[in-house]
Amino acid sequence: MATDLVLLAPMAGWATPLAEVPDPVFAQAMLGEGVAIDPTEGMLHAPCDAEVLSVHAARHAVTLRAAAGVELLLHVGLETVALAGEGFEALVAAGQRVAAGAPLLRFDLDRLARRARSLVSPMVITEATGWRIVGCVASQAVAVGDPLITLRAETRATAAPTAPAPGVELTRRIVVPLPHGLHARPAARVAACAREFAADTALTRAGRRASTRSPMALMSLGLQQDDEAVLSAAGPDAAAALEALAQLIEGGMGEAAAVAPIETHTPTAPAATDVPGLLRGVAAAPGLAIGRAVRLSDRDLEVPTDGRGAAHEKAALASALGQVRGALEAALAAETDRVRRDILAAHLGLLDDPELAAEARRRIAEGRSAGFAWRAAIGGFAEAIGALADRRMAERVADLRDLERRVLAAILGEDAGATEVPPGAILVAEDILPSQLTAIAPSRLAGLCVSGGGPTSHVSILAAAMGLPALVAMGPALGTVTDGTTVILDAEAGTLQVAPDAQALEAAQAKLAARAQRHAAARAAARETSRLADGTPLPVLANLGAASEAACAAEAGAEGSGLVRTEFLFLDRERAPSEDEQAECYQAIADGMPDRPLVFRLLDIGGDKPAAYLPQPPEENPALGVRGVRLALRHPDLLAAQLRALLRVTPAGRVSIMAPMVSRLGELRAVRAALEAATRDLGLPPAPLGVMIETPAAAMTADLLSAEADFLSIGTNDLSQYVLAMDRGHPDLAGEIDALEPAVLRLIAHTCDGGRAQGREVSVCGALAGDPVAIPILIGLGVGKLSMPPAAIAEAKALIRTLDPGACRALAARALDQPSAAAVRALAAAQVGG
């Protein structure tokens, strides 16, 4: 029988979907799913029976733990932390048990209305492993105690835990095939696998033994590619554990060999400039900003040496670890970018390291405080790993320091790296941790400049995602910029102008004002149907990577989705999702974009997106190996389950299916046969089946594929790397890949000609679709639909409304004859007015 947990309204007011909260941290479900309430009374109540985990020092937020580990954040108002407790009264304390409806906080509603950014108060489910939301009330008035969210426990058979039985220890000698050794990500996977068994398992190398449940202990062994080690297991399921761990490690876990590790790449130093006050750097994220420099220093969090009793300090550490774990898991659940998911998953693995926790508890037992114990435990592992000869492994110390800061901040009741910055700040720093950047309200930042780093660093990725112009690798000269100095950051030009004169400021302000005016006009018309200047429809669709993105994309003006990436369901887990789990998720995406067409790409894993439950031997070149449709056809049960789940989406007829990485007609036919079998199994009508054009072979045979496919969609990201023979993950080559290279454009033109000959629609769903310079060229080549990130939709539609089809065809014809991508960009920029 299903078990439900009903969360009651914690305050009276108007219930609002979390996506409508005017704060991206909540609206984008970075902390988790939930509901917000615009309150009409000044009291916050417990939504269920629970334990109080913490009351924030500013008394504006409470975290609770309810049944079976469900954790909740109740946050009164937005940006109310800045009030430093003014207008709030805490009625409970950490560690206290409360009943549903019990008062938690009292707050001055009138004072908050005058001082806070917004009264809207989110209730967020930050941890709900084993639970799913089955009911949610929003867009209506609620009273205290009204049912608001219903959670249902997942039904899954679980064996009662048993302690490992003593007995003979089984061993097995293995050779590590991992190209970069047993670093953070594979170590976390090994630990996750080990925790599924009761057996006590370990890995031994050169007389040093490490528990396989401890990612840090595994990393400290310094195991490199082709090193030998001995796996051992003792306990009731020792044989099964030994076999599973050996298969996982020897299977390579999909770790791709790279010419050079991205983390250790150092970009070329910026060229010197003779212009006074003009500093140069490497562009990491585009944009223009005017603001005041705010220098970020790595403030040391002070913790007492001695504790207030072992029980108190252990509870404080457990609570802090729970808070950080909840935040990381919420971020991982909401994240779609592969690199950022890897960072979060590795941090979670390190946070759950049993040896790290044991070391901290040992020091607490000696009388130390939770903060001191945690810092000492981290420091010991950091010293051991930092001393390793392998530079890649030694650089994982930064991950440990990031976790150190997060947990210490939670123990102290502070925001992790919470830095109060004035609006319009351009952050200046020697270096910055990802958690420090994400702890600053995006609305306060105008840009980012870093002395070190590179364009592929974690901070660069985050800056781009936040829409912040950013420069990296600026060198020691950035250290001369003082706090409060007015600066102009032009990421496209790669410059930071310090203390500009009135003329430079006026020119930059005019440029910004023109951009803002264009952006506002584009957003206002974003929901209108996309048409060319002569009225011809040219649909603009959204690329989606998670169910939570669908409603936001519709709000941004998407006329459907031309690419729903389904691999987010298949990655970072130990088992493939069931057909029912997939069907539920696909339906949620369809429900988030009602009455709009959706194109779901079949799972595109393998290569740079490995799945732990589909172990593959190391490949010399994973980009040319078993990935995409090749992997799906080698696992017919996995493919059949996904096809059936997609066919179950209602109403029928909204879903189209697309096969990735097709290079031969036989692959399309095999997927078609599997789709027809699935339709017969379910007794449902067939769905349109298309092909992604990502290989030169597919582009050159587009006419043959079009004869049997229902549509074609060009993935310009992979097509470019295959045409140009450049790995888009290579730190020295990635910046040289441009899909506007004439060779790539000629294959796009050939694809459009092949589709046109068979009466098939051709769309583009790669990064090029959202590039304003490329849009008129793509239209001129014959592309009939464009699918892009939701953030690019409004301006793309505004541009399309100005384009004449004939002029686009003429521009495209000239682009095909240009000598380089730079020449194509110059030509297009001149025609569309820059």
Side-chain angles (χ1 to χ4, degrees):
M1 179 179 294
T3 302
D4 289 351
L5 172 63
V6 179
L7 303 180
L8 308 178
M11 56 177 63
W14 184 264
T16 302
L18 207 59
E20 296 180 10
V21 173
D23 185 321
V25 172
F26 295 109
Q28 297 174 20
M30 294 181 188
L31 298 177
E33 301 293 340
V35 174
I37 296 176
D38 195 350
T40 55
E41 299 175 358
M43 184 74 76
L44 179 71
H45 301 261
C48 59
D49 295 347
E51 176 191 358
V52 179
L53 293 181
S54 69
V55 178
H56 194 280
R59 301 188 292 280
H60 69 298
V62 177
T63 56
L64 305 175
R65 180 182 291 127
V70 173
E71 295 184 7
L72 309 171
L73 167 65
L74 285 75
H75 193 287
V76 178
L78 301 181
E79 298 187 12
T80 42
V81 67
L83 299 180
E86 182 184 345
F88 289 95
E89 179 185 359
L91 306 177
V92 293
Q96 185 175 335
R97 298 289 306 182
V98 293
L104 302 176
L105 297 176
R106 183 182 290 115
F107 53 94
D108 187 330
L109 197 62
D110 292 336
R111 183 178 297 183
L112 262 62
R114 294 192 302 270
R115 301 283 306 278
R117 175 186 173 194
S118 171
L119 288 172
V120 172
S121 301
M123 179 171 76
V124 180
I125 303 166
T126 58
E127 167 58 32
T129 301
W131 297 79
R132 60 189 175 92
I133 296 176
V134 295
C136 190
V137 172
S139 302
Q140 68 180 59
V142 293
V144 174
D146 285 352
L148 195 62
I149 298 175
T150 302
L151 296 171
R152 179 159 297 165
E154 302 280 12
T155 55
R156 57 169 66 101
T158 56
T162 57
V168 177
E169 184 175 75
L170 305 179
T171 62
R172 177 167 170 175
R173 187 169 295 277
I174 62 169
V175 176
V176 176
L178 307 170
H180 304 300
L182 201 58
H183 62 92
R185 183 174 66 183
R189 289 188 177 181
V190 170
C193 180
R195 291 170 192 149
E196 292 188 356
F197 299 93
D200 181 17
T201 53
L203 197 59
T204 303
R205 178 205 182 202
R208 295 181 59 202
R209 183 183 176 100
S211 168
T212 54
R213 297 171 185 259
S214 170
M216 273 180 281
L218 290 171
M219 289 165 59
S220 68
L221 292 177
L223 281 165
Q224 297 302 303
Q225 187 175 25
D226 298 329
D227 281 350
E228 286 191 1
V230 175
L231 263 175
S232 59
D237 52 3
L242 197 69
E243 180 65 23
L245 288 167
Q247 284 191 7
L248 180 64
I249 297 172
E250 292 180 330
M253 291 181 270
E255 287 287 302
V259 176
I262 288 177
E263 284 92 340
T264 61
H265 175 62
T266 303
T268 304
T273 171
D274 295 329
V275 180
L278 189 67
L279 308 181
R280 293 197 180 278
V282 176
L288 174 70
I290 303 171
R292 292 192 180 277
V294 175
R295 181 160 292 281
L296 180 67
S297 57
D298 191 4
R299 181 174 62 90
D300 187 30
L301 298 174
E302 295 184 5
V303 295
T305 302
D306 297 327
R308 293 187 289 169
H312 174 86
E313 299 301 335
K314 285 180 180 179
L317 179 61
S319 176
L321 291 173
Q323 285 182 248
V324 175
R325 183 182 299 105
L328 286 171
E329 288 176 344
L332 181 62
E335 188 54 70
T336 58
D337 180 84
R338 176 65 185 169
V339 175
R340 284 176 283 175
R341 287 182 65 85
D342 283 346
I343 299 166
L344 291 166
H347 281 202
L348 269 171
L350 296 174
L351 188 70
D352 289 332
D353 191 300
E355 294 199 8
L356 178 61
E359 175 63 17
R361 287 193 296 269
R362 184 185 69 80
R363 290 177 180 270
I364 287 174
E366 293 175 351
R368 304 307 180 211
S369 72
F372 183 92
W374 178 253
R375 174 171 281 164
I378 285 278
F381 279 103
E383 184 177 355
I385 293 171
L388 294 173
D390 179 59
R391 183 180 174 189
R392 181 187 179 93
M393 203 75 74
E395 286 183 341
R396 299 284 64 78
V397 170
D399 294 325
L400 297 177
R401 294 304 182 195
D402 207 347
L403 283 178
E404 178 187 322
R405 284 183 56 83
R406 284 173 178 258
V407 174
L408 288 182
I411 290 172
L412 296 172
E414 300 183 13
D415 289 335
T419 301
E420 291 298 323
V421 301
I426 293 180
L427 210 57
V428 175
E430 287 186 18
D431 200 2
I432 181 170
L433 297 171
S435 62
Q436 289 177 299
L437 180 57
T438 55
I440 301 172
S443 60
R444 297 260 170 176
L445 292 177
L448 175 69
C449 296
V450 181
S451 298
T456 57
S457 68
H458 297 157
V459 166
S460 298
I461 292 170
L462 288 170
M466 295 166 70
L468 293 174
L471 292 177
V472 295
M474 297 193 69
L478 188 64
T480 63
V481 180
T482 56
D483 265 338
T485 304
T486 300
V487 294
I488 300 173
L489 169 58
D490 189 341
E492 280 92 350
T495 60
L496 180 73
Q497 192 167 357
V498 182
D501 59 24
Q503 185 177 356
L505 273 175
E506 186 177 348
Q509 287 166 344
K511 195 173 179 180
L512 275 174
R515 285 188 182 186
Q517 189 173 4
R518 288 198 305 270
H519 294 175
R523 286 194 298 270
R527 295 193 185 183
E528 296 178 8
T529 300
S530 179
R531 299 180 184 277
L532 292 163
D534 67 350
T536 302
L538 198 294
V540 174
L541 315 170
N543 295 340
L544 302 177
S548 59
E549 297 176 3
C552 295
E555 184 71 20
E559 297 170 55
S561 175
L563 171 63
V564 181
R565 301 179 179 93
T566 61
E567 52 269 20
F568 72 93
L569 262 175
F570 293 83
L571 298 172
D572 297 310
R573 56 192 299 162
E574 297 305 315
R575 294 179 179 84
S578 67
E579 179 183 328
D580 288 342
E581 181 184 350
Q582 291 184 64
E584 182 179 353
C585 186
Y586 302 151
Q587 187 64 56
I589 293 173
D591 293 343
M593 298 191 80
D595 306 318
R596 292 171 173 86
L598 301 167
V599 178
F600 284 83
R601 180 176 70 188
L602 295 173
L603 67 156
D604 183 13
I605 57 180
D608 63 340
K609 291 176 284 189
Y613 50 86
L614 295 175
Q616 293 177 253
E619 295 178 308
E620 187 76 19
N621 190 340
L624 301 179
V626 180
R627 58 169 296 198
V629 72
R630 297 171 186 169
L631 186 139
L633 292 175
R634 283 165 170 78
H635 297 274
D637 292 344
L638 200 65
L639 175 60
Q642 184 173 31
L643 290 171
R644 288 194 299 268
L646 288 168
L647 289 169
R648 287 166 57 184
V649 174
T650 59
R654 287 189 53 206
V655 167
S656 297
I657 298 171
M658 184 162 61
M661 292 303 298
V662 170
S663 57
R664 295 175 293 178
L665 184 59
E667 292 166 337
L668 170 61
R669 288 174 174 171
V671 176
R672 174 77 71 184
L675 178 59
E676 290 173 351
T679 59
R680 288 194 300 271
D681 289 346
L682 298 173
L684 294 173
L689 177 64
V691 167
M692 279 199 79
I693 305 297
E694 301 171 275
T695 66
M700 292 304 297
T701 58
D703 55 337
L704 300 178
L705 293 170
S706 295
E708 301 189 29
D710 297 308
F711 61 93
L712 304 179
S713 183
I714 303 171
T716 54
N717 300 356
D718 272 320
L719 182 62
S720 299
Q721 77 164 344
Y722 290 131
V723 170
L724 301 173
M726 290 182 178
D727 181 358
R728 58 193 176 105
H730 193 294
D732 291 325
L733 298 178
E736 298 181 31
I737 298 177
D738 192 330
L740 284 181
E741 284 287 347
V744 180
L745 293 180
R746 290 187 180 205
L747 283 183
I748 294 174
H750 194 83
T751 300
C752 292
D753 292 343
R756 190 182 303 113
Q758 300 291 344
R760 298 293 188 251
E761 180 183 85
V762 179
S763 62
V764 171
C765 62
L768 201 65
D771 186 339
V773 173
I775 287 173
I777 297 174
L778 294 175
I779 293 171
L781 293 175
V783 172
K785 288 183 179 178
L786 298 170
S787 191
M788 60 192 67
I793 288 173
E795 292 198 51
K797 282 188 167 184
L799 172 61
I800 289 167
R801 283 191 285 270
T802 69
L803 298 177
D804 174 74
C808 288
R809 287 191 290 272
L811 173 63
R814 293 181 63 193
L816 295 179
D817 291 330
Q818 297 303 307
S820 66
V824 172
R825 289 193 175 276
L827 173 70
Q831 178 138 339
V832 299

